[in-house]
Amino acid sequence: MAGPDARLSAWVHGTVQGVGFRWWTRSRALELGLTGYAANRPDGRVHVVAQGPRENCQRLLELLQGGSAPGRVETVVADWVVATEPIDGFSER
């Protein structure tokens, strides 16, 4: 039996707005069967919240850090919690 879903909260720093980053993130998350969102923040970061099996969230985190994302990712600050409420779909905000 699988354990509870994980929720990844990742703050992506760099040149990640206006370059298709949120769309790219949404596409990767949906391929991995994750729910959540990618949101532009006023300070230029993108906040990614992804929920689902921990190993799928971990894979998304690796993709965010891996250099194939649009723009230029300088660093990703990640936090993990156990998912407590469902999120429907994966949206760009």
Side-chain angles (χ1 to χ4, degrees):
M1 179 172 147
D5 282 350
R7 181 176 290 179
L8 165 67
S9 178
W11 294 91
V12 184
H13 301 247
T15 306
V16 290
Q17 290 190 12
V19 294
F21 185 85
R22 291 177 302 147
W23 177 89
W24 180 88
T25 300
R26 179 179 180 271
S27 296
R28 302 297 76 78
L30 290 173
E31 289 170 359
L32 292 166
L34 301 173
T35 61
Y37 59 87
N40 282 342
R41 304 305 303 158
D43 62 5
R45 297 179 296 172
V46 171
H47 185 206
V48 177
V49 174
Q51 186 167 292
R54 171 111 186 182
E55 60 273 10
N56 294 13
C57 290
Q58 181 63 44
R59 178 66 183 131
L60 180 63
L61 178 59
E62 291 165 2
L63 290 167
L64 294 173
Q65 297 167 326
S68 62
R72 183 176 48 81
V73 175
E74 292 174 3
T75 190
V76 180
V77 178
D79 186 37
W80 295 91
V81 296
V82 173
T84 56
E85 358 181 307
I87 300 174
D88 291 329
F90 200 98
S91 62
E92 297 173 47
R93 297 184 180 174

Coordinates of all heavy atoms in Angstrom, one line a residue:
M1 N 0.8 -1.2 0.0 CA 0.0 0.0 0.0 C 0.9 1.2 0.0 O 1.8 1.3 0.7 CB -0.9 0.0 1.3 CG -1.8 1.2 1.4 SD -2.9 0.9 2.8 CE -3.1 2.5 3.3
A2 N 0.5 2.2 -0.8 CA 1.3 3.4 -0.9 C 1.0 4.3 0.3 O 0.0 4.3 0.8 CB 1.0 4.2 -2.2
G3 N 2.1 5.1 0.6 CA 1.9 6.0 1.7 C 1.2 7.3 1.3 O 0.7 7.4 0.1
P4 N 1.0 8.2 2.2 CA 0.3 9.5 1.8 C 1.1 10.2 0.8 O 2.3 10.2 0.7 CB 0.2 10.2 3.1 CG 1.3 9.7 4.0 CD 1.5 8.2 3.5
D5 N 0.3 11.0 0.0 CA 1.0 11.9 -1.0 C 1.8 12.9 -0.3 O 1.6 13.3 0.8 CB -0.1 12.5 -1.9 CG -0.7 11.6 -3.0 OD1 -0.1 10.5 -3.1 OD2 -1.7 12.0 -3.6
A6 N 2.8 13.4 -1.1 CA 3.7 14.4 -0.6 C 3.3 15.7 -1.3 O 2.7 15.7 -2.4 CB 5.1 14.1 -0.9
R7 N 3.6 16.9 -0.7 CA 3.4 18.2 -1.3 C 4.8 18.9 -1.3 O 5.4 19.1 -0.3 CB 2.4 19.0 -0.6 CG 2.2 20.4 -1.3 CD 1.2 21.2 -0.6 NE -0.1 20.6 -0.9 CZ -1.3 21.1 -0.4 NH1 -1.3 22.2 0.3 NH2 -2.4 20.6 -0.7
L8 N 5.2 19.2 -2.5 CA 6.5 19.9 -2.8 C 6.2 21.3 -2.9 O 5.3 21.7 -3.7 CB 7.2 19.3 -4.0 CG 8.3 20.2 -4.6 CD1 9.5 20.2 -3.7 CD2 8.7 19.6 -6.0
S9 N 6.9 22.2 -2.2 CA 6.8 23.6 -2.4 C 8.2 24.1 -2.9 O 9.1 24.0 -2.1 CB 6.4 24.3 -1.2 OG 6.3 25.7 -1.3
A10 N 8.3 24.5 -4.1 CA 9.6 24.9 -4.6 C 9.6 26.3 -5.1 O 8.8 26.7 -5.9 CB 10.0 24.0 -5.8
W11 N 10.6 27.1 -4.6 CA 10.7 28.5 -5.0 C 11.9 28.5 -6.0 O 13.0 28.3 -5.6 CB 11.0 29.4 -3.8 CG 9.9 29.4 -2.9 CD1 9.6 28.6 -1.8 CD2 8.8 30.4 -2.9 NE1 8.4 29.0 -1.2 CE2 7.9 30.1 -1.8 CE3 8.5 31.4 -3.8 CZ2 6.8 30.8 -1.6 CZ3 7.3 32.2 -3.5 CH2 6.5 31.8 -2.5
V12 N 11.6 28.9 -7.3 CA 12.6 28.8 -8.3 C 13.1 30.3 -8.6 O 12.3 31.2 -8.9 CB 12.0 28.2 -9.6 CG1 13.0 28.1 -10.7 CG2 11.3 26.9 -9.3
H13 N 14.4 30.4 -8.4 CA 15.1 31.7 -8.6 C 15.8 31.8 -9.9 O 16.3 30.8 -10.3 CB 16.1 31.9 -7.4 CG 15.5 31.9 -6.1 ND1 15.5 33.0 -5.3 CD2 15.0 30.9 -5.3 CE1 14.9 32.7 -4.1 NE2 14.6 31.4 -4.1
G14 N 15.8 32.9 -10.5 CA 16.6 33.1 -11.8 C 15.7 33.9 -12.8 O 14.8 34.6 -12.4
T15 N 16.0 33.7 -14.1 CA 15.2 34.3 -15.1 C 14.2 33.3 -15.5 O 14.4 32.4 -16.4 CB 16.1 34.7 -16.3 OG1 17.2 35.5 -15.8 CG2 15.3 35.4 -17.4
V16 N 13.0 33.3 -14.8 CA 12.0 32.3 -15.0 C 10.6 32.8 -15.3 O 9.7 32.1 -15.3 CB 12.0 31.3 -13.8 CG1 13.3 30.4 -13.8 CG2 11.8 32.0 -12.5
Q17 N 10.5 34.1 -15.5 CA 9.3 34.7 -15.9 C 9.3 35.2 -17.3 O 10.4 35.8 -17.7 CB 8.9 35.8 -14.9 CG 8.5 35.3 -13.5 CD 7.9 36.4 -12.6 OE1 7.6 37.4 -13.1 NE2 7.8 36.0 -11.4
G18 N 8.2 35.0 -18.1 CA 8.2 35.5 -19.4 C 9.0 34.7 -20.4 O 9.3 35.1 -21.5
V19 N 9.3 33.4 -20.0 CA 10.1 32.5 -20.9 C 9.4 31.2 -21.1 O 10.0 30.2 -21.6 CB 11.5 32.3 -20.3 CG1 12.3 33.6 -20.3 CG2 11.4 31.7 -18.9
G20 N 8.1 31.0 -20.7 CA 7.4 29.7 -20.8 C 7.7 28.8 -19.7 O 7.3 27.6 -19.8
F21 N 8.3 29.2 -18.6 CA 8.6 28.4 -17.5 C 7.4 27.7 -16.8 O 7.4 26.5 -16.6 CB 9.5 29.1 -16.5 CG 10.0 28.3 -15.4 CD1 11.2 27.6 -15.5 CD2 9.3 28.1 -14.2 CE1 11.7 26.7 -14.5 CE2 9.8 27.3 -13.2 CZ 10.9 26.6 -13.4
R22 N 6.4 28.5 -16.6 CA 5.2 27.9 -15.9 C 4.5 26.9 -16.8 O 4.1 25.8 -16.3 CB 4.2 29.0 -15.5 CG 4.7 29.9 -14.4 CD 3.7 31.0 -14.1 NE 3.5 31.8 -15.3 CZ 2.4 32.5 -15.5 NH1 1.3 32.4 -14.8 NH2 2.3 33.2 -16.6
W23 N 4.4 27.2 -18.1 CA 3.8 26.2 -19.1 C 4.6 24.9 -19.1 O 4.1 23.8 -19.0 CB 3.7 26.8 -20.5 CG 3.2 25.8 -21.5 CD1 1.9 25.7 -21.8 CD2 4.0 24.9 -22.2 NE1 1.8 24.6 -22.7 CE2 3.1 24.2 -23.0 CE3 5.3 24.6 -22.3 CZ2 3.5 23.2 -23.9 CZ3 5.7 23.6 -23.2 CH2 4.8 22.9 -24.0
W24 N 6.0 25.0 -19.2 CA 6.9 23.9 -19.2 C 6.7 23.1 -17.9 O 6.6 21.9 -17.9 CB 8.3 24.4 -19.3 CG 9.3 23.3 -19.4 CD1 9.8 22.6 -20.4 CD2 10.0 22.8 -18.2 NE1 10.7 21.7 -20.1 CE2 10.9 21.7 -18.7 CE3 10.0 23.0 -16.9 CZ2 11.7 21.0 -17.9 CZ3 10.8 22.3 -16.0 CH2 11.7 21.3 -16.5
T25 N 6.6 23.8 -16.7 CA 6.5 23.1 -15.5 C 5.1 22.3 -15.4 O 5.1 21.2 -15.0 CB 6.6 24.1 -14.3 OG1 7.8 24.7 -14.3 CG2 6.4 23.4 -13.0
R26 N 4.1 23.0 -15.9 CA 2.8 22.3 -15.9 C 2.8 21.1 -16.7 O 2.3 20.0 -16.3 CB 1.7 23.3 -16.4 CG 0.3 22.7 -16.5 CD -0.7 23.7 -17.0 NE -2.0 23.2 -17.1 CZ -2.5 22.5 -18.2 NH1 -1.7 22.4 -19.3 NH2 -3.7 22.0 -18.2
S27 N 3.4 21.2 -17.9 CA 3.5 20.0 -18.8 C 4.3 18.8 -18.1 O 3.8 17.7 -18.2 CB 4.2 20.4 -20.1 OG 3.4 21.3 -20.8
R28 N 5.4 19.1 -17.5 CA 6.2 18.1 -16.8 C 5.3 17.5 -15.6 O 5.3 16.3 -15.4 CB 7.5 18.6 -16.3 CG 8.4 19.2 -17.3 CD 9.0 18.3 -18.4 NE 8.0 18.0 -19.4 CZ 7.7 18.9 -20.5 NH1 8.2 20.1 -20.5 NH2 6.9 18.5 -21.4
A29 N 4.7 18.3 -14.9 CA 3.9 17.9 -13.7 C 2.8 16.9 -14.2 O 2.5 15.9 -13.6 CB 3.3 19.0 -13.0
L30 N 2.1 17.3 -15.3 CA 1.0 16.5 -15.8 C 1.5 15.2 -16.3 O 0.9 14.1 -16.1 CB 0.2 17.3 -16.9 CG -0.6 18.4 -16.3 CD1 -1.2 19.2 -17.5 CD2 -1.7 18.0 -15.4
E31 N 2.7 15.2 -16.9 CA 3.3 13.9 -17.4 C 3.6 13.0 -16.2 O 3.5 11.8 -16.3 CB 4.6 14.2 -18.1 CG 4.4 14.8 -19.5 CD 5.7 15.3 -20.1 OE1 6.8 15.2 -19.5 OE2 5.6 15.9 -21.2
L32 N 3.9 13.6 -15.1 CA 4.2 12.8 -13.9 C 2.9 12.5 -13.0 O 3.0 11.9 -12.0 CB 5.2 13.5 -13.0 CG 6.6 13.7 -13.6 CD1 7.4 14.7 -12.9 CD2 7.3 12.3 -13.6
G33 N 1.8 12.9 -13.5 CA 0.5 12.7 -12.7 C 0.4 13.5 -11.5 O -0.3 13.1 -10.5
L34 N 1.0 14.7 -11.4 CA 0.9 15.5 -10.3 C -0.2 16.6 -10.4 O -0.5 17.0 -11.5 CB 2.3 16.2 -10.0 CG 3.4 15.2 -9.9 CD1 4.7 16.0 -9.8 CD2 3.3 14.4 -8.6
T35 N -0.6 17.1 -9.3 CA -1.5 18.2 -9.3 C -0.8 19.4 -8.6 O 0.2 19.2 -7.9 CB -2.8 17.9 -8.5 OG1 -2.5 17.6 -7.1 CG2 -3.6 16.8 -9.1
G36 N -1.3 20.6 -8.8 CA -0.7 21.8 -8.1 C -0.8 23.0 -9.0 O -1.7 23.2 -9.8
Y37 N 0.3 23.8 -8.9 CA 0.3 25.1 -9.7 C 1.7 25.6 -9.8 O 2.6 25.3 -9.0 CB -0.7 26.1 -9.1 CG -0.4 26.5 -7.7 CD1 0.5 27.6 -7.4 CD2 -1.0 25.9 -6.6 CE1 0.8 27.9 -6.1 CE2 -0.7 26.3 -5.3 CZ 0.2 27.3 -5.1 OH 0.4 27.7 -3.8
A38 N 1.9 26.5 -10.7 CA 3.1 27.3 -10.9 C 2.7 28.7 -11.0 O 1.9 29.1 -11.8 CB 3.9 26.8 -12.1
A39 N 3.2 29.6 -10.1 CA 2.7 30.9 -10.0 C 3.9 31.9 -10.0 O 4.9 31.7 -9.3 CB 2.0 31.1 -8.7
N40 N 3.8 32.9 -10.9 CA 4.7 34.0 -10.8 C 4.6 34.8 -9.5 O 3.5 35.0 -9.0 CB 4.5 35.0 -12.0 CG 5.0 34.5 -13.3 OD1 5.8 33.6 -13.4 ND2 4.5 35.0 -14.4
R41 N 5.7 35.2 -9.0 CA 5.7 36.0 -7.8 C 6.3 37.4 -8.1 O 7.0 37.6 -9.1 CB 6.6 35.4 -6.7 CG 6.2 34.0 -6.3 CD 4.8 33.8 -5.9 NE 4.5 34.7 -4.8 CZ 3.2 35.1 -4.5 NH1 2.2 34.7 -5.2 NH2 3.0 35.8 -3.5
P42 N 5.8 38.5 -7.4 CA 6.3 39.8 -7.7 C 7.8 40.0 -7.8 O 8.3 40.9 -8.5 CB 5.6 40.7 -6.7 CG 4.5 39.9 -6.1 CD 4.9 38.4 -6.3
D43 N 8.5 39.2 -7.0 CA 10.0 39.4 -6.9 C 10.7 38.7 -8.0 O 12.0 38.7 -8.0 CB 10.5 39.0 -5.6 CG 10.3 37.5 -5.3 OD1 9.8 36.8 -6.1 OD2 10.6 37.1 -4.1
G44 N 10.0 38.1 -9.0 CA 10.7 37.5 -10.1 C 10.8 36.0 -10.0 O 11.2 35.3 -11.0
R45 N 10.5 35.4 -8.8 CA 10.6 34.0 -8.7 C 9.3 33.3 -9.2 O 8.3 34.0 -9.4 CB 10.7 33.6 -7.2 CG 12.0 34.1 -6.5 CD 12.1 33.7 -5.1 NE 11.0 34.4 -4.3 CZ 10.7 34.1 -3.0 NH1 11.4 33.2 -2.4 NH2 9.7 34.7 -2.4
V46 N 9.4 32.0 -9.4 CA 8.2 31.2 -9.6 C 8.0 30.2 -8.5 O 9.0 29.6 -8.1 CB 8.3 30.5 -11.0 CG1 7.1 29.5 -11.1 CG2 8.2 31.4 -12.1
H47 N 6.8 30.2 -7.9 CA 6.5 29.3 -6.8 C 5.8 28.1 -7.4 O 4.7 28.2 -8.0 CB 5.6 30.0 -5.8 CG 5.3 29.1 -4.6 ND1 4.2 29.3 -3.8 CD2 6.0 28.1 -4.0 CE1 4.2 28.4 -2.8 NE2 5.3 27.7 -2.9
V48 N 6.4 26.9 -7.3 CA 5.8 25.7 -7.8 C 5.3 24.8 -6.6 O 6.1 24.6 -5.7 CB 6.8 24.9 -8.6 CG1 6.2 23.5 -9.1 CG2 7.3 25.7 -9.8
V49 N 4.0 24.5 -6.6 CA 3.5 23.6 -5.6 C 3.0 22.3 -6.4 O 2.2 22.5 -7.3 CB 2.3 24.2 -4.8 CG1 1.6 23.2 -3.9 CG2 2.8 25.4 -4.0
A50 N 3.5 21.2 -6.0 CA 3.2 19.9 -6.7 C 2.8 18.9 -5.7 O 3.5 18.8 -4.6 CB 4.3 19.4 -7.6
Q51 N 1.8 18.1 -6.0 CA 1.3 17.1 -5.0 C 1.1 15.8 -5.7 O 0.6 15.8 -6.8 CB 0.0 17.6 -4.4 CG -0.5 16.8 -3.3 CD -1.6 17.5 -2.6 OE1 -1.3 18.5 -1.9 NE2 -2.8 17.1 -2.7
G52 N 1.5 14.7 -5.0 CA 1.3 13.4 -5.6 C 2.3 12.5 -4.9 O 2.8 12.8 -3.9
P53 N 2.5 11.3 -5.5 CA 3.5 10.4 -5.0 C 4.9 11.1 -4.8 O 5.3 11.8 -5.7 CB 3.6 9.3 -6.0 CG 2.3 9.3 -6.7 CD 1.9 10.8 -6.7
R54 N 5.5 10.8 -3.7 CA 6.8 11.5 -3.4 C 7.8 11.4 -4.5 O 8.5 12.3 -4.8 CB 7.4 11.0 -2.0 CG 8.8 11.5 -1.7 CD 8.8 12.4 -0.6 NE 10.2 13.0 -0.5 CZ 10.6 13.8 0.4 NH1 9.7 14.2 1.3 NH2 11.8 14.2 0.5
E55 N 7.9 10.2 -5.0 CA 9.0 9.9 -6.1 C 8.7 10.8 -7.3 O 9.6 11.2 -8.0 CB 9.1 8.4 -6.4 CG 7.9 7.8 -6.9 CD 6.9 7.2 -5.8 OE1 7.1 7.5 -4.6 OE2 6.0 6.5 -6.2
N56 N 7.4 11.0 -7.6 CA 7.1 11.8 -8.8 C 7.3 13.3 -8.5 O 7.8 14.0 -9.4 CB 5.6 11.6 -9.2 CG 5.3 10.2 -9.7 OD1 6.2 9.3 -9.5 ND2 4.2 10.0 -10.3
C57 N 7.1 13.7 -7.3 CA 7.4 15.1 -6.9 C 8.9 15.3 -6.9 O 9.4 16.4 -7.4 CB 6.8 15.4 -5.5 SG 5.1 15.6 -5.4
Q58 N 9.7 14.3 -6.5 CA 11.1 14.4 -6.5 C 11.6 14.5 -7.9 O 12.5 15.3 -8.2 CB 11.7 13.1 -5.8 CG 13.2 13.1 -5.7 CD 13.8 14.3 -4.9 OE1 13.3 14.6 -3.8 NE2 14.8 14.9 -5.4
R59 N 11.0 13.7 -8.8 CA 11.4 13.8 -10.2 C 11.2 15.2 -10.8 O 12.0 15.7 -11.5 CB 10.7 12.7 -11.0 CG 11.0 12.8 -12.5 CD 12.5 12.4 -12.8 NE 12.7 12.5 -14.2 CZ 13.8 13.1 -14.7 NH1 14.7 13.7 -13.9 NH2 14.0 13.2 -16.0
L60 N 10.0 15.8 -10.5 CA 9.7 17.2 -10.9 C 10.8 18.1 -10.4 O 11.3 19.0 -11.1 CB 8.3 17.6 -10.5 CG 8.0 19.0 -10.9 CD1 8.0 19.2 -12.5 CD2 6.6 19.4 -10.4
L61 N 11.1 18.0 -9.1 CA 12.2 18.8 -8.5 C 13.5 18.7 -9.3 O 14.2 19.7 -9.6 CB 12.4 18.5 -7.0 CG 13.4 19.3 -6.3 CD1 13.2 20.8 -6.3 CD2 13.5 18.8 -4.8
E62 N 13.9 17.5 -9.6 CA 15.1 17.2 -10.4 C 15.0 17.9 -11.7 O 16.0 18.5 -12.2 CB 15.3 15.7 -10.5 CG 15.7 15.1 -9.2 CD 15.6 13.5 -9.3 OE1 15.3 13.0 -10.4 OE2 15.8 12.9 -8.2
L63 N 13.8 17.9 -12.4 CA 13.7 18.5 -13.7 C 13.8 20.0 -13.5 O 14.4 20.7 -14.4 CB 12.3 18.2 -14.3 CG 12.2 16.7 -14.8 CD1 10.7 16.4 -15.1 CD2 13.0 16.5 -16.0
L64 N 13.2 20.6 -12.5 CA 13.3 22.0 -12.2 C 14.8 22.5 -12.0 O 15.2 23.5 -12.5 CB 12.5 22.4 -11.0 CG 11.0 22.3 -11.0 CD1 10.4 22.6 -9.7 CD2 10.4 23.2 -12.1
Q65 N 15.6 21.6 -11.4 CA 17.0 21.9 -11.2 C 17.9 21.5 -12.3 O 19.1 21.9 -12.3 CB 17.4 21.2 -9.9 CG 16.7 21.6 -8.6 CD 16.9 20.6 -7.5 OE1 17.1 19.4 -7.7 NE2 16.9 21.1 -6.3
G66 N 17.4 20.8 -13.3 CA 18.3 20.1 -14.2 C 18.8 20.8 -15.4 O 19.6 20.3 -16.2
G67 N 18.4 22.1 -15.6 CA 18.9 22.8 -16.7 C 18.2 22.7 -18.0 O 18.6 23.4 -19.0
S68 N 17.1 21.9 -18.1 CA 16.4 21.8 -19.4 C 15.1 22.7 -19.4 O 14.5 22.8 -20.4 CB 16.0 20.4 -19.7 OG 15.1 19.9 -18.6
A69 N 14.9 23.4 -18.3 CA 13.7 24.3 -18.2 C 14.0 25.6 -19.0 O 15.2 26.0 -19.1 CB 13.4 24.6 -16.7
P70 N 12.9 26.2 -19.5 CA 13.1 27.5 -20.2 C 13.7 28.5 -19.2 O 13.4 28.5 -18.0 CB 11.7 27.9 -20.6 CG 10.9 26.7 -20.5 CD 11.6 25.8 -19.5
G71 N 14.4 29.5 -19.8 CA 15.0 30.5 -19.0 C 16.3 30.1 -18.3 O 17.0 29.2 -18.9
R72 N 16.6 30.7 -17.2 CA 17.8 30.4 -16.5 C 17.5 30.2 -15.0 O 17.2 31.2 -14.3 CB 18.9 31.5 -16.7 CG 20.2 31.2 -16.1 CD 21.2 32.3 -16.4 NE 20.7 33.7 -16.2 CZ 20.6 34.3 -15.0 NH1 21.0 33.6 -13.9 NH2 20.1 35.5 -14.9
V73 N 17.6 29.0 -14.6 CA 17.3 28.7 -13.1 C 18.6 28.8 -12.4 O 19.6 28.2 -12.7 CB 16.8 27.2 -13.0 CG1 16.6 26.9 -11.5 CG2 15.4 27.1 -13.7
E74 N 18.7 29.7 -11.4 CA 19.9 29.9 -10.6 C 19.9 28.9 -9.4 O 20.9 28.3 -9.1 CB 19.9 31.3 -10.1 CG 20.2 32.3 -11.2 CD 20.1 33.8 -10.7 OE1 20.0 34.0 -9.5 OE2 20.3 34.6 -11.6
T75 N 18.7 28.8 -8.7 CA 18.6 27.9 -7.6 C 17.2 27.6 -7.3 O 16.3 28.3 -7.8 CB 19.3 28.6 -6.3 OG1 19.3 27.6 -5.3 CG2 18.5 29.7 -5.8
V76 N 16.9 26.5 -6.7 CA 15.6 26.1 -6.3 C 15.6 25.8 -4.8 O 16.4 24.9 -4.3 CB 15.1 24.8 -7.1 CG1 13.7 24.4 -6.6 CG2 15.2 25.1 -8.6
V77 N 14.8 26.4 -4.0 CA 14.6 26.2 -2.6 C 13.4 25.4 -2.4 O 12.3 25.8 -2.8 CB 14.6 27.5 -1.8 CG1 14.4 27.2 -0.3 CG2 15.8 28.3 -2.1
A78 N 13.5 24.2 -1.9 CA 12.4 23.2 -1.8 C 12.0 22.9 -0.3 O 12.9 22.9 0.5 CB 12.7 21.9 -2.5
D79 N 10.8 22.7 -0.1 CA 10.2 22.3 1.2 C 9.2 21.1 0.9 O 8.5 21.2 -0.1 CB 9.6 23.5 1.9 CG 9.1 23.2 3.3 OD1 9.9 22.4 4.0 OD2 8.1 23.6 3.7
W80 N 9.2 20.2 1.9 CA 8.3 19.1 1.7 C 7.4 19.0 2.9 O 7.8 19.2 4.1 CB 9.1 17.8 1.7 CG 10.0 17.6 0.5 CD1 11.3 18.0 0.4 CD2 9.6 17.0 -0.7 NE1 11.7 17.7 -0.9 CE2 10.8 17.1 -1.6 CE3 8.5 16.4 -1.2 CZ2 10.8 16.6 -2.9 CZ3 8.5 15.9 -2.5 CH2 9.6 16.0 -3.3
V81 N 6.1 18.6 2.7 CA 5.1 18.3 3.7 C 4.3 17.2 3.2 O 4.2 16.8 2.0 CB 4.2 19.5 4.1 CG1 5.1 20.7 4.7 CG2 3.4 20.0 2.9
V82 N 3.5 16.5 4.1 CA 2.5 15.5 3.7 C 1.3 16.3 3.2 O 0.9 17.3 3.8 CB 2.2 14.7 5.0 CG1 1.0 13.7 4.6 CG2 3.4 13.9 5.4
A83 N 0.8 15.9 2.1 CA -0.4 16.5 1.5 C -1.6 16.3 2.4 O -1.8 15.2 2.9 CB -0.7 15.9 0.1
T84 N -2.3 17.3 2.8 CA -3.4 17.2 3.7 C -4.7 17.5 3.0 O -5.8 17.0 3.4 CB -3.3 18.2 4.8 OG1 -3.2 19.5 4.3 CG2 -2.1 17.9 5.7
E85 N -4.8 18.2 1.9 CA -6.0 18.4 1.1 C -5.7 18.2 -0.4 O -4.6 18.6 -0.8 CB -6.6 19.8 1.3 CG -5.9 20.7 2.3 CD -6.6 22.0 2.5 OE1 -6.8 22.7 1.5 OE2 -6.8 22.4 3.6
P86 N -6.7 17.7 -1.1 CA -6.4 17.5 -2.6 C -6.3 18.9 -3.3 O -6.9 19.9 -2.9 CB -7.6 16.7 -3.0 CG -8.7 16.9 -2.0 CD -8.0 17.3 -0.7
I87 N -5.6 18.8 -4.4 CA -5.6 20.0 -5.3 C -6.1 19.4 -6.7 O -5.6 18.3 -7.1 CB -4.1 20.5 -5.5 CG1 -3.6 21.0 -4.2 CG2 -4.1 21.6 -6.5 CD1 -2.1 21.4 -4.2
D88 N -7.0 20.1 -7.3 CA -7.5 19.7 -8.6 C -6.6 20.2 -9.8 O -6.4 21.4 -9.8 CB -8.9 20.1 -8.8 CG -9.9 19.4 -7.9 OD1 -9.7 18.3 -7.5 OD2 -10.9 20.1 -7.5
G89 N -6.2 19.3 -10.6 CA -5.4 19.7 -11.8 C -4.1 20.4 -11.5 O -3.6 20.4 -10.4
F90 N -3.5 20.9 -12.5 CA -2.3 21.7 -12.4 C -2.4 23.0 -13.2 O -2.6 22.9 -14.4 CB -1.0 20.9 -12.9 CG 0.3 21.4 -12.3 CD1 0.9 20.8 -11.2 CD2 0.9 22.5 -12.9 CE1 2.0 21.3 -10.7 CE2 2.0 23.0 -12.3 CZ 2.6 22.4 -11.3
S91 N -2.3 24.1 -12.5 CA -2.6 25.4 -13.2 C -1.4 26.3 -13.2 O -0.5 26.1 -12.4 CB -3.8 26.1 -12.5 OG -3.5 26.4 -11.1
E92 N -1.5 27.2 -14.1 CA -0.5 28.3 -14.2 C -1.2 29.5 -13.6 O -2.4 29.9 -13.9 CB -0.2 28.6 -15.6 CG 0.5 27.5 -16.3 CD 0.7 27.8 -17.8 OE1 1.2 29.0 -18.1 OE2 0.4 27.0 -18.6
R93 N -0.6 30.2 -12.6 CA -1.2 31.4 -12.0 C -0.3 32.6 -12.2 O 0.9 32.4 -12.5 CB -1.3 31.1 -10.5 CG -2.2 30.0 -10.1 CD -2.3 29.9 -8.6 NE -3.2 28.8 -8.3 CZ -3.4 28.4 -7.0 NH1 -2.9 29.0 -6.0 NH2 -4.3 27.4 -6.8

